[in-house]
Amino acid sequence: ASVEASKRAAAKVAVQNHYPLNAKWVGIGSGTTIVYVVEAIKELGIDTTLTRFVPTGYQSKQLITKAGLTAIEFDAIPEGTVLDVAFDGADEVDDDLNCIKGGGACLFQEKIVALQAKEFICVADSRKLQNRLLTNWKYIPIEVAPIAANRVVRKLTEMGSIKPAIRLNTVAKEGPLKTDQGFFIVDAPFPPLVTPSDVKAGKDGNGTGGIWEVETLATKIKAIPGVLEVGIFCGVTGPQAQALGSIGGQKPV
Ligand code: DER
């Protein structure tokens, strides 16, 4: 099947299996696969007039409103509300449902929305599923305060990243891309990440030769001053998420 047909099929399965018909609060991610998720929600043919859809950026908000659904910004959600479900795409997913995200430069809002949901559904066609992250998708998108960007690039190089760089606009405008937060994206290539089970089997995931374990690297990058968020979704089923209700996940199809 074509890539688009695979994305549409994955979205349909994800919505049919994981969209609660009485959902009141639904997180909507960014990218191209999520377009098919919204299409599949509309195809359910249920009354969504009382449902509020939480976008993860400008494109996501446009997608919601163009589909005739009602968007509500993350900071307008009543305090303590847990979303019934959040759907989003990913750039790469491993067997433990850890994801590389941020290809669309929306990773910060994607992560806060995912963590606010009872269940986070990653919708990804089979191209995205790899045994280890950074196998096919080669770099980690990181959202960074512009003034700190060059220092973050230097720190990432020291950690073994191969030529990390500030993401430039590809068309129509010279200079760095700006996120919905007005931040920069630094794309940091690393060798494939090792998994917790690799570490249990004796592999070193502490950065020797630039080889890192998933969560170790995510934590270390997040601690660099100037980093707002890291495009590694792991531990999204961690204690914080448990506090918001358990986050399961849809095996990418
Ligand atoms: O930016 C992101 O993390 C997006 O979810 C994204 O990269 C997935 O995009 P796609 O559905 O267009 O592959």
Side-chain angles (χ1 to χ4, degrees), residues 85-218:
V85 63
F87 293 93
D88 203 347
D91 299 307
E92 198 158 84
V93 190
D94 71 11
D95 296 332
D96 302 319
L97 276 181
N98 297 309
C99 306
I100 297 290
K101 285 178 63 50
C106 300
L107 65 108
F108 170 66
Q109 288 192 33
E110 289 174 334
K111 192 172 278 190
I112 56 175
V113 168
L115 282 170
Q116 196 68 24
K118 275 182 215 135
E119 190 174 45
F120 171 61
I121 305 298
C122 171
V123 185
D125 61 271
S126 55
R127 290 172 308 153
K128 312 284 185 76
L129 187 56
Q130 302 291 337
N131 291 332
R132 292 181 179 78
L133 294 179
L134 300 185
T135 298
N136 189 32
W137 185 276
K138 300 294 185 188
Y139 58 88
I140 302 170
I142 304 160
E143 187 151 350
V144 178
I147 196 156
N150 287 326
R151 184 181 183 281
V152 171
V153 165
R154 225 177 12 260
K155 294 300 286 178
L156 288 163
T157 307
E158 288 165 16
M159 291 167 60
S161 176
I162 308 120
K163 293 196 172 59
I166 295 168
R167 191 181 297 182
L168 301 176
N169 288 303
T170 41
V171 287
K173 182 181 179 302
E174 289 305 310
L177 166 148
K178 287 263 184 127
T179 68
D180 292 297
Q181 284 63 243
F183 274 40
F184 286 173
I185 293 286
V186 171
D187 291 318
F190 276 95
L193 303 179
V194 295
T195 62
S197 35
D198 287 330
V199 172
K200 274 197 201 99
K203 278 208 171 168
D204 174 1
N206 288 310
T208 314
I211 308 287
W212 292 93
E213 185 273 333
V214 179
E215 197 148 358
T216 310
L217 182 56

